[in-house]
Amino acid sequence: MILILSKAINEYSTDIIVGYLTKMNANFIRINGADLLNSGVYIDIKGNKLFVNDKIISFDEIKVVFNRRWYDREEFELQNLPDIYNLTDIHQVQEEIRSEFLTLSQYFKSKFKNAIWIPHRTSVNKLIVLEKAIEFGLLIPDSYICSLRNQLNKLRKRHPAGIVTKAIGDIFPIQGEKQLLSFLTKEVNEELISSCAKSFFPSFFQEKISKDYEVRVFYWFGKTYSMAIFSQNDKKTEIDFRNYNYEKPNRVCAYNIPKDIEDKIHLLMDDLDLNTGSIDLICIGKKYYFLEVNPVGQFGMVSYPCGYD
């Protein structure tokens, strides 16, 4: 049996996979993180059985786990709390509930430790991955962690083409009352530096590389499927193509990365114990710079426009 772990909403890749498995009459079950909250769950720890979505599953039946994003933070918004508690910090309560659910999730997932997991891991440390990339012969932009304005000024002067900043870890957009707070890659100019305090929260900076184009690689069990993205032709997307221009989308096309780059990616992914993921590269001339890998990658982003099927 195949187990799909995913979110209840906004998980289009999972929906596509479910469609294929249904068409092939595969033996599978999908469980969303929200199901443990809303649909009711009963786990017989001693009996090694799971009761969820009106089904009874023996943990030993599961041979493959397709592991997508498990839940959204907003699914833990607490409502209808009794006034008798007179809670002053609802956020603390929410964090405690999330902690309880995280512990349950860890136990739940441990029950399938003998199954094939896709991906093996859902998160990596970006800074460690960059060091690993160097180890396996991949180029990376000059990269720094900095929390001092005077040092940031020196970095800006060291790189005449400019520097950019991006999140150290995986930060998802935060919905405010009036606008969405996103964490895309941004260029660091003199105005931004002058607005900084003398010291600020440790942040990640890289040299800005004036690329010819970007390459998104979807990696699947040793195979690579690549797409060139001509994001530099648009001021809106030249720093980060995820700052999508929906009125005039970037041109994309199928692409073959050089064999030596493909081999180095394979060595890196093997070392990271990743059997799948989305990899971002930028190209200038014949040089390819590795940026990052997202273990929970999107196959559809590359597959559909490039005809990889």
Side-chain angles (χ1 to χ4, degrees):
M1 178 179 281
I2 299 167
L3 171 64
I4 297 177
L5 300 178
S6 186
K7 297 192 307 181
I9 57 174
N10 296 329
E11 195 48 62
Y12 183 64
S13 292
T14 306
D15 297 338
I16 294 296
I17 292 291
V18 167
Y20 275 115
L21 294 178
T22 301
K23 184 177 180 180
M24 297 168 68
N25 294 316
N27 185 18
F28 77 96
I29 183 172
R30 174 177 179 172
I31 300 177
N32 304 309
D35 290 340
L36 302 191
L37 299 172
N38 305 323
S39 300
V41 63
Y42 172 65
I43 299 176
D44 182 347
I45 294 177
K46 190 173 181 180
N48 204 36
K49 290 187 182 297
L50 165 71
F51 301 79
V52 67
N53 291 342
D54 300 322
K55 293 186 178 181
I56 303 174
I57 304 169
S58 171
F59 287 108
D60 297 331
E61 288 182 70
I62 304 300
K63 304 303 179 186
V64 176
V65 179
F66 184 67
N67 187 25
R68 294 292 298 175
R69 297 179 178 90
W70 183 225
Y71 66 89
D72 284 327
R73 290 175 64 90
E74 56 264 26
E75 292 178 287
F76 288 88
E77 295 302 322
L78 305 182
Q79 299 177 356
N80 302 321
L81 286 172
D83 293 336
I84 190 174
Y85 293 122
N86 193 25
L87 297 172
T88 57
D89 190 353
I90 190 66
H91 297 293
Q92 181 183 350
V93 178
Q94 290 170 341
E95 288 303 318
E96 295 296 340
I97 293 295
R98 292 187 188 107
S99 177
E100 285 284 283
F101 186 77
L102 176 61
T103 302
L104 172 60
S105 296
Q106 290 170 339
Y107 168 75
F108 179 72
K109 293 181 178 182
S110 76
K111 300 299 292 182
F112 313 111
K113 60 180 178 293
N114 294 324
I116 298 171
W117 281 74
I118 306 171
H120 285 160
R121 302 165 61 187
T122 56
S123 65
V124 291
N125 185 300
K126 291 182 181 180
L127 304 180
I128 295 174
V129 170
L130 284 174
E131 288 193 345
K132 290 284 186 181
I134 297 172
E135 197 177 304
F136 290 108
L138 290 164
L139 296 175
I140 72 165
D142 289 349
S143 304
Y144 313 90
I145 301 294
C146 178
S147 64
L148 299 170
R149 185 176 62 194
N150 62 347
Q151 189 63 52
L152 187 56
N153 259 316
K154 293 177 182 178
L155 292 179
R156 180 71 178 80
K157 294 175 182 177
R158 186 182 303 174
H159 297 286
I163 55 176
V164 298
T165 184
K166 60 180 72 172
I168 296 175
D170 294 319
I171 302 180
F172 293 97
I174 297 173
Q175 183 62 62
E177 290 184 7
K178 296 183 179 179
Q179 62 182 4
L180 187 69
L181 180 62
S182 61
F183 297 89
L184 302 177
T185 302
K186 302 287 186 182
E187 186 168 7
V188 179
N189 54 33
E190 293 182 3
E191 182 182 355
L192 178 60
I193 295 175
S194 64
S195 69
C196 291
K198 288 184 178 180
S199 64
F200 46 85
F201 190 86
S203 303
F204 181 46
F205 301 93
Q206 285 185 315
E207 65 170 316
K208 178 187 174 186
I209 295 177
S210 300
K211 59 185 179 290
D212 293 331
Y213 49 87
E214 299 184 48
V215 179
R216 165 62 67 90
V217 181
F218 184 73
Y219 183 93
W220 180 260
F221 289 86
K223 294 183 179 181
T224 57
Y225 303 88
S226 302
M227 176 177 74
I229 307 169
F230 295 90
S231 56
Q232 80 290 346
N233 295 331
D234 189 329
K235 285 290 183 183
K236 184 176 173 65
T237 61
E238 65 175 342
I239 301 297
D240 193 326
F241 76 86
R242 295 171 300 172
N243 190 26
Y244 303 114
N245 186 339
Y246 292 103
E247 294 181 0
K248 187 182 178 183
N250 292 153
R251 178 189 171 219
V252 300
C253 65
Y255 189 83
N256 292 321
I257 56 175
K259 182 65 165 58
D260 66 313
I261 300 297
E262 187 176 27
D263 290 343
K264 291 171 183 177
I265 286 175
H266 181 75
L267 290 171
L268 175 64
M269 295 293 279
D270 190 54
D271 186 80
L272 295 172
D273 193 27
L274 293 177
N275 48 23
T276 185
S278 290
I279 296 155
D280 288 329
L281 307 171
I282 53 177
C283 179
I284 176 170
K286 294 185 178 181
K287 291 183 178 180
Y288 291 81
Y289 289 84
F290 173 89
L291 298 182
E292 62 181 89
V293 57
N294 174 13
V296 189
Q298 295 283 358
F299 66 87
M301 178 184 177
V302 170
S303 179
Y304 298 124
C306 297
Y308 289 127
D309 196 24

